[in-house]
Amino acid sequence: MKNHQIGVWKHIKLWGYLGIILFSFIFFLNGCAPKDVDPLTLPITEKDLETAPFPPENEELANTPRLLLSFVVFKDQTVTDDRLNNTIDFVHSVFEEFGNFTAVPRAKVKELLAVEENQRFQASNIADAIQLGTSLNADFVGQLQVMIGESQVVDNIDQYIANVNMTIFTTDSGQVVFKKDIAYDTQDPEASKTALKKMVQENFPLRGFILETRGGRQYAKISMGKSLGIKIGREFQVRERTVKNEVVMGLTRKTISFSNLSLATLPVIEVMEDEAWIRIDEKFRNNVKKGHVVFSKPEKGKLFP
């Protein structure tokens, strides 16, 4: 009995020490964190007036959603209309919430395919799918294969796990930019949403521009905010871009390319509806300028649940 009490006491002391260490670590991190000020209280200096080589045009500052046209090219026999609609709605809703997409409704897709001039098109054919997407000015075309892995009736409700193989192409070049297997579990939709959210944020970063800097580039305002789901702590990569105007067969064509090299990775410290402020660490202040393009990084997981 005495040995048992000693063992219990040792465990209590161990957890106590761990608690003290954890508390000290969190206190240390908070103590090391930069103390931010209101960026608007800082002046705009000559350094802040410097602009990146290819600043955005006014029309580029509008956060226009990416239009996605999806086609179901295969479904197994257990995929009923209700299951299919619920599954596609789930996939589209996550793309819209976290990737700044607008998905063409399935009813509109049916109408598109029913038009006499489109009846010869095969959605399973990549070239046909892209041509249909181009006719709607869609930025992306998706091909989906939907299968049901497991299913059961729980409390008179149809519960199932849908497996979706989704391939997304760009309509301008036909490049494959997304090819993933997506699971939708109707009994655990939050876990399914979290997994797909990660895929969307990794493969389709949000893109904006630095609108201004203040305090000798201590802070920068970017052209994205709450309306796109931006939160304090979200990080953005700053990159260069190149804009070229070429004349092809008498027509001027503008091509835009982005450097793969990140000039800086900077955190959001304040969020407005359509804009946000990011902090520029001192070591990056010579690189980051007004007019640079910024790309969102995926949200970080929480340290504690």
Side-chain angles (χ1 to χ4, degrees):
M1 182 68 177
K2 187 174 181 180
N3 288 338
H4 174 71
Q5 290 176 335
I6 292 173
V8 170
W9 175 242
K10 284 183 178 179
H11 277 87
I12 293 173
K13 288 177 68 178
L14 176 61
W15 283 108
Y17 290 143
L18 290 174
I20 292 171
I21 292 171
L22 181 60
F23 177 80
S24 300
F25 176 69
I26 294 172
F27 183 79
F28 172 76
L29 288 180
N30 289 334
C32 293
K35 304 300 180 187
D36 291 306
V37 301
D38 182 355
L40 292 177
T41 63
L42 299 175
I44 296 178
T45 68
E46 288 188 14
K47 190 173 183 178
D48 295 305
L49 296 176
E50 294 181 29
T51 305
F54 300 98
E57 303 289 339
N58 286 334
E59 60 269 19
E60 293 180 286
L61 297 176
N63 288 312
T64 306
R66 302 149 161 162
L67 187 60
L68 171 65
L69 176 61
S70 296
F71 296 105
V72 177
V73 297
F74 173 82
K75 61 176 183 175
D76 67 26
Q77 294 180 344
T78 60
V79 180
T80 62
D81 285 343
D82 283 344
R83 287 176 171 180
L84 183 62
N85 289 330
N86 290 338
T87 301
I88 301 303
D89 286 348
F90 162 74
V91 172
H92 283 168
S93 68
V94 178
F95 271 79
E96 291 177 346
E97 183 175 354
F98 299 107
N100 193 25
F101 278 85
T102 291
V104 178
R106 291 201 67 234
K108 177 70 175 178
V109 177
K110 288 182 179 180
E111 289 179 13
L112 179 69
L113 294 175
V115 175
E116 184 176 353
E117 63 189 49
N118 292 335
Q119 290 181 2
R120 64 182 180 82
F121 285 98
Q122 297 293 324
S124 58
N125 181 284
I126 297 172
D128 285 354
I130 290 175
Q131 188 169 341
L132 287 168
T134 302
S135 70
L136 290 183
N137 293 319
D139 303 287
F140 299 94
V141 169
Q143 293 181 327
L144 291 80
Q145 301 180 50
V146 184
M147 293 147 282
I148 302 299
E150 302 175 17
S151 65
Q152 58 182 316
V153 176
V154 180
D155 296 330
N156 294 319
I157 298 175
D158 179 29
Q159 304 287 5
Y160 55 90
I161 298 176
N163 297 309
V164 182
N165 178 268
M166 186 173 191
T167 305
I168 298 179
F169 309 85
T170 60
T171 53
D172 57 357
S173 66
Q175 180 183 1
V176 176
V177 291
F178 185 88
K179 187 174 179 61
K180 301 288 183 182
D181 290 317
I182 300 165
Y184 173 45
D185 185 348
T186 59
Q187 294 193 83
D188 196 355
E190 282 305 312
S192 302
K193 180 178 179 179
T194 298
L196 181 53
K197 169 186 171 181
K198 185 174 184 292
M199 294 182 198
V200 171
Q201 291 186 339
E202 286 178 346
N203 290 273
F204 300 98
L206 303 176
R207 186 175 73 201
F209 293 91
I210 293 180
L211 303 174
E212 66 172 273
T213 66
R214 282 181 173 264
R217 300 189 201 151
Q218 293 183 51
Y219 297 94
K221 183 194 289 184
I222 62 174
S223 59
M224 290 175 282
K226 291 179 184 176
S227 60
L228 290 179
I230 305 304
K231 300 174 184 176
I232 291 176
R234 187 80 179 267
E235 291 184 334
F236 283 83
Q237 287 188 335
V238 182
R239 296 186 193 172
E240 297 270 13
R241 73 170 188 160
T242 301
V243 180
K244 293 182 179 179
N245 290 306
E246 300 175 316
V247 178
V248 179
M249 298 181 65
L251 299 175
T252 301
R253 183 176 63 183
K254 181 167 73 172
T255 58
I256 300 175
S257 59
F258 302 97
S259 170
N260 291 325
L261 178 65
S262 173
L263 299 175
T265 299
L266 307 174
V268 171
I269 58 100
E270 184 181 337
V271 185
M272 294 81 78
E273 185 61 25
D274 296 311
E275 298 168 343
W277 287 99
I278 57 178
R279 181 197 311 118
I280 306 175
D281 292 342
E282 188 173 358
K283 61 184 176 181
F284 298 128
R285 289 175 192 166
N286 287 331
N287 298 333
V288 178
K289 296 178 182 179
K290 179 174 67 172
H292 271 143
V293 67
V294 292
F295 291 88
S296 65
K297 294 191 67 179
E299 293 179 40
K300 293 181 178 179
K302 295 180 180 179
L303 183 59
F304 301 104

